[in-house]
């Protein structure tokens, strides 16, 4: 129940920001492009760096790919909340964070689509199991005071 309420709240917030920023979006579309393009490039670059670092450390694919996804995530939901609280819904900061959300989601979906289907055994069920296991390892084995690459490889 709570998940659907938060999702609806986030979507309504985005709609509200775009309604307040409608003139800026229509009058200055170059500003949207100047916000979106670096964010897209950054997401791909950070994913690649994290994934390659995990593979260099000889972490298994089921850990390396989700770790890349987690590192590439920008936590724009928090950024939207902070921008609205500090600067208001009509601020350029609110617009930038909203564009961030709307660019990050398709990029992350693309990365999942391209990477979730790569397993060495070729088993369709194993692909999802490998990702679920990797996400579980990456998310639940995080230790305070240690970096992500050392923590996600530890056994609980």
């Amino acid at each position: 129940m709570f998940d659907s309420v938060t999702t609806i709240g986030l979507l309504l917030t985005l709609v509200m920001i775009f309604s307040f920023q409608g003139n800026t979006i229509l009058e200055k579309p170059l500003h949207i492009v100047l916000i979106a393009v670096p964010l897209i490039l950054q997401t791909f670059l950070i994913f690649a760096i994290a994934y390659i670092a995990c593979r260099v450390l000889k972490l298994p694919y089921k850990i390396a790919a989700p770790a890349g996804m987690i590192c590439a995530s920008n936590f724009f939901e928090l950024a939207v909340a902070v921008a609205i609280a500090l600067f208001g819904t009509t601020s350029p900061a609110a617009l930038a964070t909203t564009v961030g959300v709307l660019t990050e989601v398709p990029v992350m979906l693309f990365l999942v689509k391209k990477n979730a289907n790569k397993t060495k055994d070729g088993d369709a069920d194993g692909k999802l199991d490998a990702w679920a296991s990797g996400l579980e390892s990456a998310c639940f084995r995080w230790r305070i005071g240690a970096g992500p690459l050392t923590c996600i490889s530890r056994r609980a």
Side-chain angles (χ1 to χ4, degrees), residues 39 42-44 46-47 50 66-78 100 104-105 107-108 111:
L39 290 174
Q42 170 200 346
T43 303
F44 281 113
I46 291 174
F47 175 85
M69 296 295 295
I70 291 168
C71 290
S73 176
N74 290 309
F75 302 107
F76 274 113
E77 299 81 4
L78 177 61
E104 182 185 36
V105 170
V107 171
M108 296 298 262
L111 288 171

Side-chain angles (χ1 to χ4, degrees), residues 42-65:
Q42 170 200 346
T43 303
F44 281 113
L45 181 65
I46 291 174
F47 175 85
I49 290 169
Y51 179 79
I52 291 167
C54 286
R55 298 306 285 178
V56 166
L57 293 171
K58 305 221 184 294
L59 294 174
Y61 174 79
K62 70 180 186 176
I63 300 292

